[in-house]
Amino acid sequence: MEIIPLPFVALFTAFVLACFVGYYVVWSVTPALHSPLMGVTNAISSVIIVGALIAAGPADFHLSKVFGFIAVVLASVNIFGGFVVTNRMLAMFRKKPKA
Amino acid sequence: MDNFAAFAYLIAGICFFMALRGLSSPATARRGNLLGVAGMVIAVATTLASPGVLSYGLIAAGILLGGAIGTVIALKIKMTALPQLVAAFHSLVGLAAVFVAAAAFYAPEAYGIARDGVIATSSLVEMSLGAAIGAVTFTGSLVAFGKLQGIFRAAPITFTGQHPLNAALALLMVGLIVWFSLTQSAPAFWLIVLLALLLGYLLIIPIGGADMPVVVSMLNSYSGWAACGIGFTLANTALIITGALVGASGAILSYIMCKGMNRSIINVILGGFGADESAAAAVGGDDDRPVKSGSAEDAAFLMQNATSVIIVPGYGMAVAQAQHALREMADTLKKSNIKVRYAIHPVAGRMPGHMNVLLAEANVPYDEVLELEEINRDFSQTDVAFVIGANDVTNPAAKTDPASPIYGMPILDVENAAQVLFIKRSMGAGYAGVENELFFRDNTMMLFGDAKKMCEDIVKAME
């Protein structure tokens, strides 16, 4: 199957729109939760694992497969670590108990 | 990438946006975090299902290995060490970006970016940018980690010719990227990576330990842009969207931190406190004026006769691990119907939101914790301001003394409270090396000692 990559303009459009949405979404985060914000953004930036999986994917051996495997391990540390530590932080936030 | 995969990646991206949106309040935040996990699962599953990804055994081993390491670290880390953890994690994303860029370089057909081994010029540019930013993020974050953990000196490491050197290296890097994009040469690629690794180190070592909130946010941003660069290289919208989201997030946090210190980001990056000779000359430090100092019993007496108390925590509280003792003290006060609230300065701690997490860990209800804008006016109607482990963020010199290195910084107006209590270990100057006028005022009482012990003693005195 012929894979036709998206033209640069389409990718760039997605990029610009994402920046705008990101701007407004991040400003809506309450300052009290800035640390969990760093935790979550760290975890989701590890979506780079997608690139690593493609590199580690092929059945035959190749140098890039080694690179891919290393990147999979690194990204996995971040994904699990990032979401778990964020969840730990968020679990601690409690309101005043209603008397 | 076929259409189904493209849609799936779009949904993953939307999940990530919703995850951040959930952080608008603690009530929706945990649900948001779960959505983030869902987005990641979708992205990974879609990739695993794509043709060409066949080594499931190897991949599962990698994910399990990394996942186990990450989970164990995240479960065991102390909340006071959170800034170091975040810095360390950023370094991993940076390094992963370098490896993915390298993988794309050596096997471009797997990603569909080459014809007969020739990679498109634009892909080469994107690839080298992704690798460069990733490498800078890697070493920069390691240095930040070292400074936060106390492995490196927190003091800025400067040497003459530093700025011209960094500029020259940056120019050299641009040249290498151009050369690489035109020739697709492997040595050029690795030279770019090496140079970027060096630059990451050089850029972060001149920044002082207390400027780390900005640095960590900045590196957070870079890790996003690195992912973006890889996303363009692989024409993967999930990476581009997510990278932009993370990049924007880090940039906004850096901006907020800089505003909280009233310094421009350039000023922070090119060397913070301590790098400026004239500022060092203006430091007090040997002020011999008398200060009123008191004991835990004095403090207990003062607070028990108050109707309202505002607590101002700072990094010193984290260092002394005093947050639990502090909350016990607050509970004792609340039992006598004294109104207790906490005032958080934007740059308190070593990471944005650090104080809030530490207080939450000590079971302080989050509706008692207020940001500077929300609570600053209330100090003038408050009987006691209890400052524990904070110093520069209360210093009125920021408003009155143009020669002071902290001039212009927004501060918490504790001077307006009827009485101010300061917990400090000794009369030594704070991070900025600036003397705090408040210590010498009549309505200020210094409580010398370890923060944790002092809180515990106050609780005992109140019973």
Side-chain angles (χ1 to χ4, degrees), chain B residues 194-208:
Chain B
L194 245 59
L195 195 54
L197 289 173
L198 179 62
L199 253 180
Y201 172 78
L202 288 175
L203 278 175
I204 308 297
I205 52 170
I207 303 182

Side-chain angles (χ1 to χ4, degrees), chain A residues 1-6 8 10-12 14-15 17-19 21-60 62-97, chain B residues 1 9 16-17 20-21 23-26 29-30 33 36-37 40 43-44 47 52-55 58-59 62-63 66-67 70-71 74-75 77 79 82 85 89-90 92-93 95-97 99-100 102-103 106-107 110-111 126 190 216-217 220 225 228 230 232 234-237 239-242 244-246 249 252-253 255-256 351-354 356-357 360-361 363 365-368 371:
Chain A
M1 181 181 75
E2 173 84 25
I3 297 178
I4 304 160
L6 288 169
F8 179 76
L11 297 176
F12 193 68
F15 171 72
L17 289 176
C19 285
V21 176
Y23 178 83
Y24 286 106
V25 167
V26 174
W27 272 115
S28 79
V29 173
T30 176
L33 295 179
H34 277 165
S35 291
L37 173 66
M38 296 205 95
V40 166
T41 48
N42 181 64
I44 65 178
S45 65
S46 310
V47 78
I48 202 160
I49 198 176
V50 162
L53 289 171
I54 297 177
D60 42 330
H62 193 279
L63 180 62
S64 62
K65 195 161 149 170
V66 177
F67 290 152
F69 176 74
I70 298 175
V72 166
V73 176
L74 291 170
S76 300
V77 174
N78 252 5
I79 291 174
F80 282 84
F83 283 122
V84 169
V85 88
T86 304
N87 192 53
R88 245 186 92 188
M89 285 191 257
L90 292 174
M92 300 188 302
F93 281 83
R94 235 167 282 230
K95 259 192 132 116
K96 223 189 312 255
Chain B
M1 192 197 321
Y9 286 138
F16 293 151
F17 280 130
L20 262 60
R21 187 78 186 96
L23 288 173
S24 57
S25 109
R30 291 187 79 180
N33 200 35
V37 174
M40 188 61 73
V44 170
T47 316
V53 178
L54 303 163
S55 321
L58 180 71
I59 286 171
I63 294 181
T71 308
L75 285 176
I77 194 90
M79 285 291 132
L82 208 52
L85 179 74
F89 276 173
H90 287 153
L92 298 181
V93 180
L95 192 59
F99 276 114
V100 175
Y106 284 104
Y111 296 103
E126 292 150 359
W190 292 110
V216 178
S217 312
N220 186 350
W225 304 128
C228 243
I230 304 295
F232 274 104
L234 310 183
N236 184 307
T237 44
L239 276 172
I240 292 174
I241 293 177
T242 312
L245 185 58
V246 175
S249 175
I252 289 175
L253 285 177
Y255 168 76
I256 294 176
M351 191 172 85
H354 194 197
N356 303 76
V357 169
E361 183 194 32
N363 281 315
Y366 65 79
D367 41 353
E368 288 173 11
E371 299 298 309

Side-chain angles (χ1 to χ4, degrees), chain B residues 63-149:
Chain B
I63 294 181
L64 277 169
L65 176 62
I69 297 175
T71 308
V72 167
I73 295 177
L75 285 176
K76 298 193 105 142
I77 194 90
K78 284 222 285 264
M79 285 291 132
T80 41
L82 208 52
Q84 292 89 301
L85 179 74
V86 170
F89 276 173
H90 287 153
S91 71
L92 298 181
V93 180
L95 192 59
V98 174
F99 276 114
V100 175
F105 178 66
Y106 284 104
E109 271 88 7
Y111 296 103
I113 58 173
R115 225 172 272 276
D116 301 321
V118 177
I119 308 176
T121 311
S122 58
S123 296
L124 288 171
V125 174
E126 292 150 359
M127 189 190 296
S128 52
L129 278 175
I133 301 175
V136 168
T137 307
F138 175 61
T139 41
S141 299
L142 283 181
V143 174
F145 170 80
K147 288 200 182 227
L148 287 165
Q149 186 70 351

Side-chain angles (χ1 to χ4, degrees), chain B residues 181-200:
Chain B
S181 309
L182 294 173
T183 60
Q184 198 173 320
S185 121
F189 179 83
W190 292 110
L191 266 173
I192 291 172
V193 171
L194 245 59
L195 195 54
L197 289 173
L198 179 62
L199 253 180

